[in-house]
Amino acid sequence: MNSLSSIRAFAVDGDGVLYRGNEPLPGLADFFAFLHQHAVPVTLVTNNATQTQQSFSDKLARFGVTLPPDAIITASIATAEYLQKQFPPGTRMFAIGNGVRHALEAAGFTLAERDVAAVVVGMDTSLTYAHLRTATVHINNGAAFIGTNPDKSFPFEGGLAPGNGAILAALAAATGVEPFIVGKPYPPMFELALQKMGVDAAHAAMVGDRLETDILGGKNAGMRTIAVLSGVTSAAMLAERDIRPDRVFDGLEDLLTALRETRK
Ligand SMILES: [Mg+2]
């Protein structure tokens, strides 16, 4: 059960796993070189809804890692792909957040202020009261209420800043309607990663640093889960929680050492 040898594909989180901010974490380039060498599919699965796939690909390239944009699943891209399964092309949607607006347009939807079938909400640092009011009216009129990711806050230089989860909470409070959320820990994002990698959940692992998103979501999706302690979760925190990953490593270097043992 806890063996790494049957894992045929890896979905990996970004911050706290591959890099911390703008610094690569130890073992990053070697980890990807190993996966490429053994033809193991890998996707980057991030709840970030503001950056493009290309910007993550460029960032990894600066760290010596080649990962094409198509192998990068942001919360905005996953939301647009999910909505393509629910609504026909051209469907009118009211969207908050430039990241998800860009993704919806690229997916063939029509951004609109009126007569919309869905309200789609992603992180927006230019959010205004008028945006919240328009979204509230549409949700009350029966438009689907979709969120890219549930993160309530995120760190910035001055402390913690409100995240997309806080925007969703404002709309949920105003309407009494809870959003359908695409990002981790909810299933659509993991399903998209498995689909892109062409493997079933039982033969794929989710590697992440955050228990309540990466690990819980991976478990719920039926994947193997690997926690690394190079991000937000310490060994002491892990011991206190009832979310149990299948394996725990200090970071990518240790995971890679263990992987090499299985492929000798
Ligand atoms: Mg992380």
Side-chain angles (χ1 to χ4, degrees), residues 13-19 45 184 207-210 213-214 231-232:
D13 174 51
D15 216 358
V17 178
L18 306 183
Y19 45 79
V45 179
K184 295 180 289 185
V207 185
D209 67 317
R210 198 178 279 275
T213 53
D214 302 317
V232 296

